[in-house]
Amino acid sequence: MSKQTHSFQAEVSQLLHLVTHSLYSNSEIFLRELISNASDACDKLRFEALNNAALYEDAPELQVHLSFDTAAKTLTITDNGIGMTAQEAIDHLGTIAKSGTKDFMSKLSGDQKSDAQLIGQFGVGFYSGFIVADKITVETRRAGAPAAEGVRWISGGTGDFEVETISRDQRGTSVILHLREEGLVYANSWKLKEIVGKYSDHISLPILMEKEEWKDGELIDPKDEKGGRQPGAMVKTGEWDTINKASALWTRAKKDITGEQYADFYKQISRDFEAPLTWTHNRVEGSTEYTQLLYIPSKAPQDLWNRDKKAGIKLYVKRVFIMDDAEALMPSYLRFVKGVVDSADLPLNVSRELLQESRDVKAIREGCTKRVLSMLEDLAKHDKAQQATDEVTDVLSEEDKAKLGQYSKFYAEFGAVLKEGLGEDFGNRERLLKLLRFASSSSDTMSVSLADYKARMKDGQDAIYYITADTLAAAKNSPQLEVFKKKGIEVLLMTDRVDEWALNFVQEFDGTPLQSVAKGAFDLGKLQDEEEKKAAQEAAETFKPMLAKLKEALKDKAEDVRVTSRLVDSPACLVVTDDGMSMQLARMLKQAGQSAPEVKPVLEVNPEHALVKKLDGSVHFHDLAHILFDQALLAEGGLPADPAAYVKRVNALLS
Ligand code: ADP
């Protein structure tokens, strides 16, 4: 193929413009990105070679070479990985295939300053080379292809690039950066070693650089020893040194890894720019042997709620990279966990399908789940310590101090996902229940555990009371809470969308049943004294005829009408039967376009309320009955079935 010119995809041109104009203040990241590409290319070769060893072409040692030429002003990153065909070079280096990059591009505002920050946090991959180079030459050959099918790709990083066929003996890729003036600082071995140490130590591939030696300058006058010398210079020796640790981070002993290295590794594998909240690193021995390095991110990703979201675990087998997003290794409710599992037992050619069935994988998944839960329990314990007394902090180790307050941060980001586990992972339900935190009628912050609640229960209280609602305000001000407030009984306020669903799977905690305050007949058991019970019975008796009339008036809306002692200030409220779906869940399902059974609630009225007392004998009985019902619906965040009719009725009464 002779020289051809191609245009970059529009997004690439836009990205290139941004890269060159906004990233110069953080220019060194180009090396991390290019080495990471080289490392990926070697991983891909290793993987393809599992079924086709010929791809190694007698050079089975995968390596990256860094070299620079100060005279020519070039810096070259060479790998002997998978390489690219001409078509691949055109496709991969001329377009943006990754959906992540596209998402990212759509977030850019065009405002130089904030875009620069965003782009610095994101990996820009290959194109980051243009931060330091005004021209890039890529020479590459696909592993297994003949030497004559080498490819040269050249671009100045503006609108287009050129591609031509060349002859290339070595398989893999050389990226030759023609450095700008400002990029010349990178044509320096100290500088390169420093950056490799910072970003690429844990890359399992050796990164080599040509050794240099100081060579004294020539004597100015060889005949005269005292004649002085020309300045000396560093010269290349032809020998290559490995300049990174070249051992996969997770294979090293914990004590040899600093917190910073753990965090850097996390950033590398997750593409997150924030440090992780915490991590756990273990070698698990026994019938199934594997190493796990699992991280909990500080922030939830935007697609957290997508249950099809890719899992964050990379699978290695005996240090060979096998696959990203190995969903079989972590349950869906822990999909936010990122990390690496390196198995000693799985076959190298394991496929996704095989993973689903493997007993080893099942064991790994259980082990990883338990580890994550322990990690969370540990954070939760430290949060508790902080709540208990601030003095504790004086006697804590640095490591433990770092954990203080972390659990509430975790919970704010991921607590709602964790709840999915109640329906998904029966084996760990007890542990999960202990990890849950709620707001309650006596605490606005999401900090009340079920155990806290139990410890604070009143004498004679035999249930854990909760209410579900769309918002905290709706839950807190719900009429159903009135008598609980009056009696000083704590009620958990549940406002996550998954709460209702998750609670379906939970009947009790530690022997105490969970009871919705909006379900079933009102019964506080021993918390109500005899007099109250008697008064309630009497009220039920006196109101019997009126209740029958109300029931008749509302027969299309309410399943039943009864008096209640759960209300103090409000005239009425709605409840559902014990086994019925809550009104809130039914609304949610409808909003989500799913079919939900028609829930006909029970209208409960407060016999002490002036409005209820006035009802009987009123000429407006019919209108008042409907207003009572619709208001009860409004009070819990619902909407009257016919809002206009409601407004009309209220206005008629007002005027
Ligand atoms: P990313 O690496 O995140 O996919 P890049 O823009 O860095 O994005 O690279 C785009 C694609 O170009 C890669 O996915 C890969 O297919 C190809 N590529 C880049 N560098 C190399 C390399 N050194 N060897 C082989 N292919 C490469």
Side-chain angles (χ1 to χ4, degrees):
M1 182 175 79
S2 52
K3 213 176 259 182
Q4 291 181 348
T5 303
H6 297 260
S7 299
F8 282 119
Q9 182 194 29
E11 278 106 335
V12 175
S13 295
Q14 195 193 344
L15 182 65
L16 280 168
H17 180 82
L18 266 159
V19 163
T20 46
H21 287 82
S22 44
L23 271 182
Y24 45 79
S25 60
N26 192 16
S27 58
E28 65 182 33
I29 61 152
F30 81 92
L31 194 61
R32 173 187 73 190
E33 301 288 319
L34 296 180
I35 288 178
S36 167
N37 279 354
S39 160
D40 287 351
C42 291
D43 278 344
K44 279 181 202 159
L45 174 64
R46 209 182 270 138
F47 186 65
E48 281 193 23
L50 291 174
N51 293 319
N52 182 7
L55 292 179
Y56 279 125
E57 302 175 9
D58 302 325
E61 267 191 59
L62 299 171
Q63 295 172 329
V64 178
H65 285 84
L66 289 184
S67 59
F68 58 88
D69 180 335
T70 27
K73 300 186 179 174
T74 57
L75 169 61
T76 304
I77 297 107
T78 300
D79 66 69
N80 58 357
I82 194 73
M84 284 176 271
T85 63
Q87 194 56 46
E88 284 170 337
I90 293 169
D91 290 346
H92 296 159
L93 305 181
T95 56
I96 298 178
K98 247 184 329 163
S99 59
T101 313
K102 281 204 175 130
D103 287 353
F104 161 72
M105 295 295 293
S106 68
K107 281 201 205 95
L108 296 178
S109 61
D111 170 22
Q112 286 270 330
K113 223 168 166 187
S114 61
D115 287 353
Q117 215 162 20
L118 251 184
I119 208 169
Q121 294 161 355
F122 192 83
V124 280
F126 172 75
Y127 304 109
S128 63
F130 285 106
I131 310 169
V132 295
D134 48 20
K135 180 172 125 183
I136 299 182
T137 306
V138 178
E139 294 183 355
T140 183
R141 176 172 67 75
R142 186 78 158 88
E149 290 182 17
V151 184
R152 180 181 290 130
W153 178 104
I154 302 181
S155 176
T158 47
D160 45 32
F161 58 90
E162 284 171 7
V163 185
E164 65 182 317
T165 305
I166 56 166
S167 173
R168 180 173 164 94
D169 290 331
Q170 199 198 347
R171 78 157 183 265
T173 306
S174 294
V175 176
I176 304 153
L177 304 170
H178 304 268
L179 299 169
R180 303 167 189 276
E181 248 357 272
E182 314 87 81
L184 284 175
V185 286
Y186 298 105
N188 172 302
S189 56
W190 292 108
K191 187 77 185 164
L192 292 173
K193 273 186 203 167
E194 178 200 321
I195 308 173
V196 167
K198 189 159 159 193
Y199 294 116
S200 307
D201 246 357
H202 60 267
I203 285 200
S204 53
L205 209 61
I207 300 169
L208 296 105
M209 202 163 61
E210 198 172 345
K211 217 160 142 179
E212 288 179 315
E213 262 174 15
W214 179 260
K215 184 161 176 281
D216 282 335
E218 300 292 318
L219 288 175
I220 288 171
D221 178 357
K223 285 183 276 237
D224 175 6
E225 265 296 324
K226 294 189 195 85
R229 284 170 182 272
Q230 306 273 21
M234 295 299 285
V235 293
K236 304 266 166 75
T237 61
E239 288 168 54
W240 293 78
D241 267 346
T242 302
I243 59 167
N244 65 332
K245 292 222 168 59
S247 69
L249 184 90
W250 64 90
T251 63
R252 309 206 320 243
K254 266 192 206 180
K255 62 173 175 30
D256 298 335
I257 309 174
T258 64
E260 208 179 338
Q261 286 170 327
Y262 274 121
D264 278 342
F265 181 67
Y266 164 78
K267 289 181 191 170
Q268 188 90 214
I269 59 166
S270 65
R271 295 209 163 227
D272 191 352
F273 52 87
E274 261 185 72
L277 195 65
T278 184
W279 59 85
T280 181
H281 179 196
N282 315 282
R283 194 180 321 255
V284 182
E285 277 156 14
S287 57
T288 311
E289 283 184 24
Y290 60 97
T291 300
Q292 55 186 190
L293 172 53
L294 306 172
Y295 293 90
I296 295 182
S298 305
K299 284 264 154 57
Q302 290 184 325
D303 57 353
L304 181 67
W305 288 104
N306 178 359
R307 279 184 57 89
D308 299 330
K309 177 184 148 48
K310 298 274 168 61
I313 308 294
K314 285 178 190 289
L315 174 65
Y316 286 74
V317 172
K318 298 184 194 80
R319 261 165 248 147
V320 178
F321 172 77
I322 306 293
M323 67 177 81
D324 273 322
D325 315 321
E327 64 274 356
L329 299 179
M330 198 61 88
S332 168
Y333 72 95
L334 296 180
R335 58 186 174 274
F336 53 85
V337 177
K338 304 263 189 251
V340 168
V341 167
D342 189 346
S343 156
D345 307 312
L346 291 172
L348 280 166
N349 59 356
V350 66
S351 65
R352 274 180 205 274
E353 292 69 39
L354 230 79
L355 276 186
Q356 303 291 349
E357 286 152 24
S358 153
R359 281 183 51 216
D360 285 322
V361 169
K362 209 176 245 167
I364 295 176
R365 176 188 168 107
E366 273 167 23
C368 286
T369 304
K370 293 218 147 71
R371 267 293 160 188
V372 174
L373 294 182
S374 314
M375 184 156 57
L376 295 176
E377 283 158 359
D378 190 44
L379 287 186
K381 195 177 80 195
H382 285 86
D383 247 23
K384 198 90 200 155
Q386 189 184 30
Q387 279 174 20
T389 162
D390 284 337
E391 280 164 37
V392 181
T393 50
D394 294 341
V395 295
L396 289 179
S397 69
E398 283 306 314
E399 192 188 340
D400 282 347
K401 263 187 214 172
K403 293 178 190 159
L404 296 178
Q406 298 288 58
Y407 193 66
S408 33
K409 273 192 213 152
F410 160 79
Y411 204 81
E413 296 290 325
F414 302 109
V417 194
L418 202 61
K419 288 178 192 163
E420 292 175 11
L422 295 175
E424 219 176 273
D425 186 356
F426 301 141
N428 287 307
R429 196 182 287 161
E430 287 305 311
R431 289 179 81 174
L432 281 167
L433 277 176
K434 287 186 187 148
L435 285 169
L436 300 188
R437 297 291 179 271
F438 303 98
S440 87
S441 49
S442 41
S443 162
D444 268 359
T445 56
M446 284 275 222
S447 61
V448 184
S449 69
L450 291 170
D452 294 339
Y453 182 98
K454 259 198 91 163
R456 292 202 285 256
M457 271 176 25
K458 293 223 152 213
D459 274 348
Q461 183 179 345
D462 46 19
I464 296 171
Y465 293 106
Y466 69 89
I467 183 166
T468 55
D470 295 334
T471 63
L472 198 58
K476 243 168 51 182
N477 301 320
S478 159
Q480 271 103 348
L481 291 198
E482 288 173 1
V483 74
F484 291 89
K485 282 187 200 151
K486 188 174 151 196
K487 289 187 174 285
I489 304 169
E490 188 172 14
V491 177
L492 297 175
L493 310 177
M494 307 202 178
T495 51
D496 273 333
R497 308 193 108 217
V498 307
D499 283 331
E500 187 77 41
W501 173 85
L503 284 169
N504 274 326
F505 301 96
V506 186
Q507 270 70 47
E508 54 161 58
F509 170 73
D510 192 17
T512 308
L514 268 75
Q515 170 68 43
S516 162
V517 301
K519 275 188 181 175
F522 178 72
D523 178 13
L524 279 184
K526 297 188 203 101
L527 292 173
Q528 257 176 316
D529 53 43
E530 285 310 312
E531 243 169 77
E532 284 174 326
K533 281 185 191 161
K534 226 175 104 200
Q537 270 165 12
E538 278 171 18
E541 212 39 55
T542 350
F543 278 82
K544 225 176 189 169
M546 193 206 49
L547 290 177
K549 267 169 73 187
L550 267 178
K551 201 171 164 180
E552 175 58 26
L554 296 171
K555 65 174 185 287
D556 294 337
K557 289 179 172 172
E559 177 71 35
D560 193 8
V561 181
R562 61 189 179 214
V563 288
T564 182
S565 38
R566 83 172 93 218
L567 297 171
V568 178
D569 303 316
S570 302
C573 69
L574 299 176
V575 297
V576 293
T577 51
D578 258 328
D579 47 2
M581 179 182 276
S582 84
M583 310 267 292
Q584 191 223 357
L585 181 57
R587 269 201 301 278
M588 239 167 61
L589 288 174
K590 262 190 208 150
Q591 277 165 14
Q594 292 184 26
S595 68
E598 212 40 62
V599 184
K600 243 185 172 186
V602 175
L603 178 72
E604 292 193 342
V605 296
N606 176 2
E608 301 297 325
H609 199 280
L611 184 57
V612 177
K613 286 181 176 161
K614 241 169 55 182
L615 207 52
D616 211 8
S618 165
V619 287
H620 302 295
F621 184 87
H622 187 81
D623 283 340
L624 281 172
H626 282 273
I627 289 173
L628 212 54
F629 183 94
D630 286 348
Q631 283 189 342
L633 195 57
L634 282 168
E636 66 160 60
L639 260 188
D642 184 352
Y646 168 76
V647 171
K648 224 167 163 178
R649 285 197 176 106
V650 172
N651 286 348
L653 284 179
L654 286 176
S655 54

